Amino acid sequence: MNFIKGITIITVFMALVGCSSSSDGDGGTQPADNFDRQAMLEHWADNIIIPAFEDLQLELTALSAAKDDFVAEPGEATLFALREQWLEAYKTWQYVEMFNIGQAETMFYAFQMNIYPVTVADIESNIATGTYDLRSVNNNDAVGFPAMDYLLHGLGADDAEILARYTTAEGAEGTRKYLSDVTDEMLALTGEVLEDWRSNYRDTFVANLNNNATGSVNKLTNDFIFYYEKGLRANKFGIPAGNFSATPFPEKVEAYYSTEVSKTLALNALNAVQDFFNGKSYGTSGTGSSFTAYLDYLRELQGGDDLSAAINQQLNTAREQIQTLDDNFSRQIETDNTMMTKAYDELQKAVVLLKVDMVQKLNITIDYVDADGD
Amino acid sequence: MGIDLNTYFRKQTDVAPLVVFRMFFGVMMFLSVLRFWANGWIEKLYLEPEFHFTYYGFEWVRVPGAYTYLIFLLCALSALGIALGYRYKWSVLLFFLSFTYIELMDKTTYLNHYYFISLLSFLLFFLPAAARFSLDAQRQGKLYLKVPAWNIDAVKLMLGIVYFYAGLAKINSDWLFRAMPLKIWLPSKFDLPLIGDSLLQQEWFNFAMSWAGMIYDLAIPFLLLYKRTRLFAFALVVFFHVFTRVLFPIGMFPYIMIVSALIFFDAGVHHRIMEIVKRIGTALGRKRPTPPLQVIPEYRLPILQEKLIKPLLMVFFVIQLLLPFRYLLYPGELFWTEEGFRFSWRVMLMDKVGYTTFTIVDGKTGKSFEVDNTDFLTSFQEKQMSFQPDFILEYAHYLGDHFKAQGHQNVEVYARSYVALNGRKSTPFVEEDRDLYKEKESFKHKDWIIPFKDEIKGL
């Protein structure tokens, strides 16, 4: 008898809660104040991530062609054209490095594209032996954009010396081959990542609306913040400026050998971060749903300060600080490193806003240990 | 009053609720340890990190390398011993010691319900929970029908304290008038079927859940005690815990609370449970004819034991009642400083996120560098360290020692820390110009914490 009573009560209780939830859905429309995460993921995939990879593939195809021209006929004209195309592709790369998800994550794509500083001895020994597995972990510091940086700008003291390495010097053939292999490998890797996005991962990504550590929103937010903190703030500024060591390392800047482009690349990376934050479509002027829209939605519910505005403002401040720097970060560090650390400090302030304030509002788990909570 | 207390302590009652509680507790603990093991958490939480956060006064508790598995094995086996009532006193003692040792190894994993398990197993050690329905009873050839009622009431009191104090802690302005942190947590469960993208997104629902949670916690011990509301209360317990289990990653805890609440029922229910368990036992083929047990109507503690245990448990409960209020001895906002926060049934009360980085400075030359926390901490440890002052201090000392041992001179350690509490904008958390390597851990207030900028009213 008592058990029947108990079951009745539970059923009534469940029904009450059930009713109040279904009555919300009875109108057939979503409540106006619900945020459409699916639309955000679609926008990220279709208008930002895939277009950025497509553009990178175009740039790398052009790079490969320029390399072919150079290898066929090594001279000043072909070298300059190759360098120019390398920089174009490198700038585009800044727009995809943060998307360490899907196939890119599986095959450690970014580790094969942009680990710097390179280890010159590894590159030279690869050239000398002519046998190498470019995808091996041991070659992460001998491939990708930084390796090309060395091959195009660092092989000699001036252009004549560099060209000699490809023409008259001993082992010139091996040097040409290594340059060729490294370039083609970057194109191949990018093709694999893009192909997977198109044929397979895009739908998985968009469909995974879970809010746990493996959900798409959660994962990409983690990637985004991690990239900002590590790839942008630490690698491009903190490490060369000596924030993590007793002395600065001017030789650890990005594109060290080409000397004049580290600022350009860093500014591109910052723009990429801010564009993604605001949901700006890649390569067009359109915008869609992203962190800004998400935070604004939550602000309606939770109240509080305008966080998306604060983050944009801090990123702008950081950009202004970076713009005062020398085009060549290496030279900046050697002449006046305090300017470099000032830029780092401004970037750091945005880490706090992203990693503390934004993470709390979005309630995203930063760690992947799914231990129990209270 | 003195006479009343004496009669109360002499009152005998059916032992069934206590022995059924013992069995369920043992089974739940056994499953919890297995689950912990199977999830790979022994490795992730204890073996992989190179550094562990210790409890003040228990710094000597270390992770004993591969022997950690032995401790967990011991814990699982003793839990099984509790369930079966096999050498009960030893089982429960070993369980209490091994479980508590595990918890003391690293406070990163502190959870109120682990603390609850430690307390409960401590309490169970003193109760005759294997007086019947146990291998001990079979072995000794006798069973007891009744035990002093206070033995069962002690467990009820423990459960009551947990609920009631959790309710008291919810009487604060963030919980009741800002619906925080539920307003952060519930909308983020958008992937829940039916209610995720509708009900959970509604402001009124977040408020309703906050208030309902507070009233539930405060009222449930009394509703369970009172016979006429008991069944309704139990239905609430089931609903509430299942609902929170769906919403939050809280592991085994809801199930533990559900079966624990059974102790409030009359013995009839427990006799039925015992009957079912016995039937399952026979169905599984345990038909070994056992000699009939000698039935002893009442269990009485030996005089000396009784003289020791009763005052001991009274002191235990007085401590339980007072400990959660120790925060009143500290200045500043409890949620911010967390001085007196743990061991107080402050469950799911706040959402706190921090970001803390450390700089090692040579005090003489002024040369400095920033530490990459990922070199020393797991992401879970880093997350917990970033907003808890005692973690920050212990880690600062660890870093200081580490770099001193590496040959750095005149080591000073400074922290830069930002913390956001319950959706407020992040603000600086510790004084940046304070050399934490010089600060000592103690029960005293940590005056290097920058005071909370806002105010949270309430208990």
Side-chain angles (χ1 to χ4, degrees):
Chain A
M1 185 60 201
N2 269 356
F3 272 103
I4 293 168
K5 219 154 92 192
I7 288 163
T8 318
I9 290 169
I10 296 176
T11 318
V12 169
F13 207 88
M14 298 284 192
L16 273 176
V17 172
C19 281
S20 55
S21 72
S22 63
S23 67
D24 271 312
D26 272 347
T29 48
Q30 295 269 327
D33 56 350
N34 184 29
F35 184 73
D36 190 348
R37 288 161 198 82
Q38 175 114 41
M40 180 166 79
L41 290 178
E42 282 168 4
H43 177 63
W44 282 353
D46 298 340
N47 301 325
I48 301 177
I49 300 174
I50 294 174
F53 273 110
E54 282 170 343
D55 192 28
L56 181 63
Q57 195 185 35
L58 284 180
E59 296 290 352
L60 288 174
T61 308
L63 183 66
S64 184
K67 174 264 302 175
D68 289 343
D69 293 347
F70 173 71
V71 170
E73 201 177 324
E76 278 204 352
T78 47
L79 179 63
F80 289 173
L82 178 55
R83 283 175 177 169
E84 209 170 296
Q85 186 51 38
W86 165 82
L87 181 59
E88 286 311 307
Y90 211 169
K91 286 199 281 197
T92 305
W93 163 256
Q94 306 299 329
Y95 281 85
V96 308
E97 188 175 327
M98 71 182 100
F99 305 127
N100 184 31
I101 194 168
Q103 186 63 20
E105 187 185 12
T106 312
M107 60 193 227
F108 299 97
Y109 174 58
F111 285 87
Q112 304 183 58
M113 293 293 282
N114 198 26
I115 291 292
Y116 56 90
V118 291
T119 306
V120 169
D122 286 356
I123 296 179
E124 292 294 357
S125 103
N126 283 345
I127 291 174
T129 61
T131 52
Y132 36 77
D133 171 11
L134 293 181
R135 297 200 177 192
S136 152
V137 181
N138 299 326
N139 275 327
N140 281 172
D141 56 357
V143 294
F145 286 105
M148 284 195 75
D149 177 36
Y150 173 72
L151 292 169
L152 300 184
H153 308 94
L155 281 179
D158 55 30
D159 291 348
E161 268 186 45
I162 293 170
L163 280 171
R165 283 289 305 267
Y166 290 98
T167 49
T168 53
E170 200 185 324
E173 195 186 334
T175 314
R176 290 200 300 272
K177 179 170 181 297
Y178 194 68
L179 173 72
S180 189
D181 288 347
V182 165
T183 314
D184 291 343
E185 182 66 15
M186 290 162 69
L187 179 60
L189 288 167
T190 305
E192 285 174 41
V193 174
L194 178 60
E195 177 51 31
D196 187 61
W197 266 102
R198 280 176 173 156
S199 65
N200 166 35
Y201 189 64
R202 187 261 175 208
D203 291 339
T204 317
F205 176 78
V206 167
N208 190 342
L209 282 168
N210 293 334
N211 92 321
N212 55 24
T214 57
S216 296
V217 175
N218 223 314
K219 270 189 82 120
L220 201 58
T221 307
N222 268 295
D223 287 343
F224 173 74
I225 293 174
F226 181 80
Y227 171 72
Y228 181 80
E229 192 184 6
K230 184 80 172 70
L232 178 50
R233 178 202 68 132
N235 290 358
K236 295 188 201 312
F237 294 87
I239 291 171
N243 281 71
F244 301 97
S245 50
T247 49
F249 294 108
E251 71 280 11
K252 288 190 177 177
V253 299
E254 193 173 27
Y256 171 69
Y257 298 98
S258 85
T259 67
E260 300 300 322
V261 300
S262 39
K263 179 164 127 184
T264 308
L265 296 176
L267 284 170
N268 263 275
L270 184 62
N271 290 341
V273 161
Q274 195 166 8
D275 285 355
F276 185 74
F277 180 83
N278 290 320
K280 192 174 168 301
S281 301
Y282 183 83
T284 67
S285 58
T287 50
S289 184
S290 194
F291 293 123
T292 311
Y294 200 172
L295 287 171
D296 291 348
Y297 160 72
L298 288 171
R299 192 170 158 236
E300 296 246 315
L301 182 68
Q302 297 170 359
D305 299 324
D306 190 342
L307 182 57
S308 58
I311 290 171
N312 270 307
Q313 201 182 356
Q314 187 54 45
L315 293 177
N316 290 339
T317 309
R319 181 180 297 103
E320 281 160 27
Q321 194 65 46
I322 295 168
Q323 270 157 350
T324 66
L325 299 176
D326 195 308
D327 285 345
N328 179 354
F329 284 174
S330 191
R331 191 162 56 226
Q332 181 69 60
I333 291 164
E334 276 158 353
T335 53
D336 182 4
N337 193 29
T338 55
M339 295 291 285
M340 194 73 178
T341 53
K342 265 189 200 164
Y344 173 85
D345 289 342
E346 293 304 331
L347 289 165
Q348 172 81 356
K349 286 180 194 165
V351 176
V352 175
L353 294 173
L354 294 170
K355 218 175 167 178
V356 179
D357 296 76
M358 183 167 99
V359 158
Q360 178 164 80
K361 300 258 186 236
L362 304 186
N363 194 25
I364 278 178
T365 21
I366 280 287
D367 64 286
Y368 285 138
V369 179
D370 55 343
D372 287 342
D374 237 335
Chain B
M1 182 65 200
I3 296 160
D4 282 346
L5 212 56
N6 270 333
T7 19
Y8 168 71
F9 275 124
R10 270 203 296 272
K11 206 178 109 196
Q12 291 268 338
T13 189
D14 195 316
V15 72
L18 187 62
V19 296
V20 168
F21 178 83
R22 182 212 78 225
M23 178 195 69
F24 277 135
F25 180 76
V27 169
M28 285 290 165
M29 290 307 108
F30 181 67
L31 294 178
S32 296
V33 176
L34 286 194
R35 171 174 173 270
F36 200 94
W37 201 319
N39 280 341
W41 288 346
I42 299 179
E43 295 81 16
K44 265 187 197 159
L45 299 175
Y46 295 111
L47 298 182
E48 280 164 19
E50 57 176 284
F51 166 71
H52 293 281
F53 290 97
T54 59
Y55 288 91
Y56 184 51
F58 292 93
E59 295 82 0
W60 49 273
V61 177
R62 295 277 157 194
V63 178
Y67 293 109
T68 311
Y69 289 108
L70 268 184
I71 302 180
F72 274 89
L73 187 68
L74 192 66
C75 195
L77 290 178
S78 55
L80 211 54
I82 294 173
L84 298 172
Y86 176 72
R87 307 216 179 244
Y88 169 70
K89 287 276 167 178
W90 280 107
S91 290
V92 75
L93 180 67
L94 282 178
F95 178 81
F96 166 71
L97 292 175
S98 58
F99 189 89
T100 307
Y101 190 91
I102 290 167
E103 291 322 308
L104 289 174
M105 288 195 302
D106 194 332
K107 69 182 169 193
T108 311
T109 57
Y110 172 81
L111 291 181
N112 284 293
H113 68 253
Y114 291 151
Y115 173 54
F116 171 67
I117 301 298
S118 278
L119 292 181
L120 210 51
S121 54
F122 175 81
L123 183 61
L124 277 175
F125 175 70
F126 299 101
L127 308 180
R132 187 178 179 178
F133 197 46
S134 65
L135 292 184
D136 283 354
Q138 299 249 338
R139 207 160 42 86
Q140 291 156 357
K142 57 187 177 187
L143 64 83
Y144 299 87
L145 293 179
K146 288 186 166 184
V147 290
W150 65 262
N151 285 288
I152 295 178
D153 290 344
V155 177
K156 291 181 187 169
L157 180 58
M158 190 69 243
L159 284 165
I161 289 174
V162 174
Y163 276 116
F164 191 72
Y165 274 71
L168 285 182
K170 290 186 173 67
I171 306 180
N172 71 73
S173 54
D174 265 21
W175 184 269
L176 296 176
F177 300 117
R178 294 178 64 229
M180 280 290 181
L182 290 186
K183 240 189 210 182
I184 294 173
W185 293 340
L186 296 182
S188 78
K189 310 294 168 191
F190 50 80
D191 56 340
L192 219 64
L194 284 176
I195 55 172
D197 61 359
S198 53
L199 208 54
L200 297 187
Q201 307 293 323
Q202 308 292 327
E203 187 171 32
W204 69 264
F205 185 76
N206 292 309
F207 272 101
M209 286 289 287
S210 293
W211 282 80
M214 183 267 291
I215 293 166
Y216 167 84
D217 279 342
L218 287 176
I220 207 72
F222 304 103
L223 295 177
L224 282 170
L225 276 174
Y226 189 45
K227 194 172 166 48
R228 298 179 67 173
T229 52
R230 192 170 296 146
L231 206 57
F232 170 68
F234 187 69
L236 274 184
V237 167
V238 172
F239 175 75
F240 177 84
H241 286 295
V242 168
F243 193 52
T244 51
R245 178 69 183 83
V246 169
L247 282 175
F248 305 113
I250 42 183
M252 296 286 292
F253 181 62
Y255 310 121
I256 295 166
M257 289 311 268
I258 289 171
V259 295
S260 295
L262 284 173
I263 200 172
F264 285 90
F265 280 95
D266 292 333
V269 175
H270 300 93
H271 282 290
R272 239 177 291 170
I273 294 173
M274 284 156 69
E275 215 31 65
I276 294 168
V277 173
K278 272 183 198 154
R279 233 177 287 157
I280 294 171
T282 0
L284 290 175
R286 270 191 52 93
K287 284 207 181 111
R288 190 163 58 96
T290 46
L293 303 181
Q294 180 194 355
V295 175
I296 303 169
E298 293 189 351
Y299 176 88
R300 280 181 214 285
L301 278 172
I303 298 291
L304 187 66
Q305 275 192 33
E306 183 163 348
K307 281 219 162 118
L308 283 171
I309 289 175
K310 278 199 297 202
L312 186 99
L313 290 186
M314 273 193 252
V315 172
F316 171 79
F317 279 113
V318 169
I319 292 174
Q320 287 308 312
L321 291 172
L322 293 180
L323 202 62
F325 287 107
R326 74 188 186 283
Y327 77 94
L328 292 169
L329 303 173
Y330 292 102
E333 170 52 47
L334 170 66
F335 287 7
W336 188 249
T337 67
E338 297 198 37
E339 292 171 321
F341 191 84
R342 284 188 283 260
F343 314 117
S344 306
W345 316 119
R346 297 175 195 281
V347 188
M348 308 218 82
L349 265 188
M350 55 180 193
D351 191 271
K352 216 173 168 189
V353 182
Y355 179 67
T356 303
T357 52
F358 294 82
T359 308
I360 310 296
V361 178
D362 181 328
K364 281 244 171 64
T365 64
K367 283 207 165 189
S368 69
F369 62 91
E370 202 179 308
V371 174
D372 183 350
N373 288 330
T374 57
D375 288 346
F376 302 96
L377 304 179
T378 66
S379 58
F380 184 43
Q381 287 177 316
E382 186 182 4
K383 176 186 152 194
Q384 297 286 40
M385 176 278 292
S386 290
F387 59 83
Q388 302 187 70
D390 53 337
F391 282 65
I392 292 174
L393 184 62
E394 189 177 357
Y395 180 52
H397 276 265
Y398 173 76
L399 290 176
D401 293 345
H402 173 85
F403 287 107
K404 208 170 160 182
Q406 275 202 350
H408 289 263
Q409 304 286 315
N410 317 305
V411 172
E412 295 174 358
V413 184
Y414 298 88
R416 257 209 256 182
S417 178
Y418 291 83
V419 170
L421 173 61
N422 283 350
R424 292 176 181 83
K425 193 180 180 319
S426 62
T427 54
F429 189 54
V430 302
E431 289 179 8
E432 290 182 8
D433 53 0
R434 199 69 89 86
D435 176 10
L436 294 180
Y437 202 33
K438 287 202 184 69
E439 302 296 329
K440 295 266 176 293
E441 180 59 86
S442 75
F443 286 128
K444 283 193 211 122
H445 170 60
K446 295 176 172 57
D447 61 355
W448 39 268
I449 304 171
I450 296 172
F452 189 45
K453 296 279 187 292
D454 203 352
E455 197 189 356
I456 302 172
K457 293 193 175 68
L459 287 176

